[in-house]
Amino acid sequence: MKVGIDKLHFATSHLYVDMAELATARQAEPDKYLIGIGQSKMAVIPPSQDVVTLAANAAAPMLTATDIAVIDLLVVGTESGIDNSKASAIYVAKLLGLSQRVRTIEMKEACYAATAGVQLAQDHVRVHPDKKALVIGSDVARYGLNTPGEPTQGGGAVAMLISADPKVLALGTESSLLSEDVMDFWRPLYHTEALVDGKYSSNIYIDYFQDVFKNYLQTTKTSPDTLTALVFHLPYTKMGLKALRSVLPLVDAEKQAQWLTHFEHARQLNRQVGNLYTGSLYLSLLSQLLTDPRLQPGNRLGLFSYGSGAEGEFYTGVIQSDYQAGLDHGLPQRLARRRRVSVAEYEALFSHQLQWRADDQSVSYADDPHRFVLTGQKDEQRQYLDQQV
């Protein structure tokens, strides 16, 4: 029985800041951002969006009434949680109108958690093939204004429907894992922005990729030549390119050229959004499937998931014959329609997020075109609105 990704959909803000403009404002050469980290635009998340609304906005457009009737597991992977006790998935399930007979959980391990959700979900569906699972990676990446990590911010959510006989990608049952206590990136409870040792984290990322990739090839007796493309977690797109280059000597020159060509398609959409934390790998997968004309049904993709702290996993999936039917085809047009904000507007929006304090607060959402929005906080409870109701 095949189990895997049946549908794949993405949501982010309707706003972005131009990376060349941001570089100039930070007294840096534009190519440092455009080429050095491989980013051209960065999503600016307004106060009216958080991980709950992003997750719901990503999932709602792809779900049919039939899907909703058979979903009995909802996993939200995030490192931008809004509550230390209550899972964000509970809020998302209510906004989406899911059954009360659904298991709702939130998972955390930096940028890796959505992959843990995918693995849990596919195991669940293998036992219950008449059911479907919804897995969402939803995050807002924040390092602070005028910090070294600022150009690798961003935000958004990727929703994946996991089912038997999937339309998009049939997932393999074998993978290679590595986890170890590494202090390359963390966010204490008293911090609203992440702490990161950037150079160290980049080195750990590549070390983890090489380890799990080579271990997967060895333990599964897989030849790297059988992999059409490698898809990476992309906190910034140059990071994935560095990792890819590190394993090119394992294949011949023709295969190297193919992998590099495929990678340019895999990072096309991530370049326009920025860091998604838990959703970054899966936006890259969506970018690969949407924009790469050389892909064919039956092609096998390798996927590398990484979460600082640190945990990595490599696994594979096979593209299905009807894969285009499960994709978010409107995404490129939505990204093109976003409104560009100035650096000053971006800074104001960054600084006016809902505050971590007990008093009642209101959030302006009049200009937010998304279906689900955050309107504020009342009696220490976040207030959400479905603008279509």
Side-chain angles (χ1 to χ4, degrees), residues 1 36 43 71 163 165 196 254 298 328 368 372:
M1 178 178 63
I71 291 173
S163 75
D165 299 318
V196 60
E254 181 180 1
D328 181 2
D368 193 325
F372 301 107

Side-chain angles (χ1 to χ4, degrees), residues 78-226:
T78 186
E79 57 182 285
S80 313
I82 60 167
D83 191 286
N84 288 325
S85 177
K86 186 174 180 178
S88 55
I90 292 280
Y91 298 96
V92 175
K94 180 180 179 180
L95 292 176
L96 294 176
L98 299 186
S99 167
Q100 292 180 329
R101 306 296 182 187
V102 61
R103 181 178 287 116
T104 51
I105 56 176
E106 179 176 308
M107 305 187 82
K108 179 177 70 178
E109 195 337 84
C111 302
Y112 167 77
T115 296
V118 168
Q119 299 294 3
L120 172 65
Q122 68 160 316
D123 286 345
H124 174 75
V125 172
R126 291 184 196 281
V127 177
H128 307 283
D130 58 329
K131 300 295 184 180
K132 295 183 180 182
L134 179 60
V135 179
I136 309 173
S138 183
D139 273 297
V140 180
R142 289 172 64 93
Y143 297 100
L145 302 175
N146 287 286
T147 64
E150 182 183 30
T152 63
Q153 295 180 144
V158 179
M160 295 168 280
L161 190 64
I162 309 298
S163 75
D165 299 318
K167 286 192 287 288
V168 177
L169 199 69
L171 299 178
T173 57
E174 297 180 281
S175 70
S176 177
L177 284 162
L178 180 64
S179 63
E180 186 180 5
D181 184 6
V182 177
M183 295 305 295
D184 63 329
F185 175 105
W186 68 105
R187 183 169 69 85
L189 293 176
Y190 49 83
H191 269 279
T192 57
E193 282 83 43
L195 304 176
V196 60
D197 184 338
K199 186 174 181 179
Y200 181 47
S201 187
S202 296
N203 291 336
I204 294 294
Y205 174 106
I206 293 176
D207 289 346
Y208 265 57
F209 168 63
Q210 291 180 336
D211 183 289
V212 296
F213 180 58
K214 293 175 182 178
N215 181 259
Y216 180 89
L217 298 178
Q218 179 181 3
T219 58
T220 63
K221 296 180 172 56
T222 297
S223 168
D225 293 314
T226 64

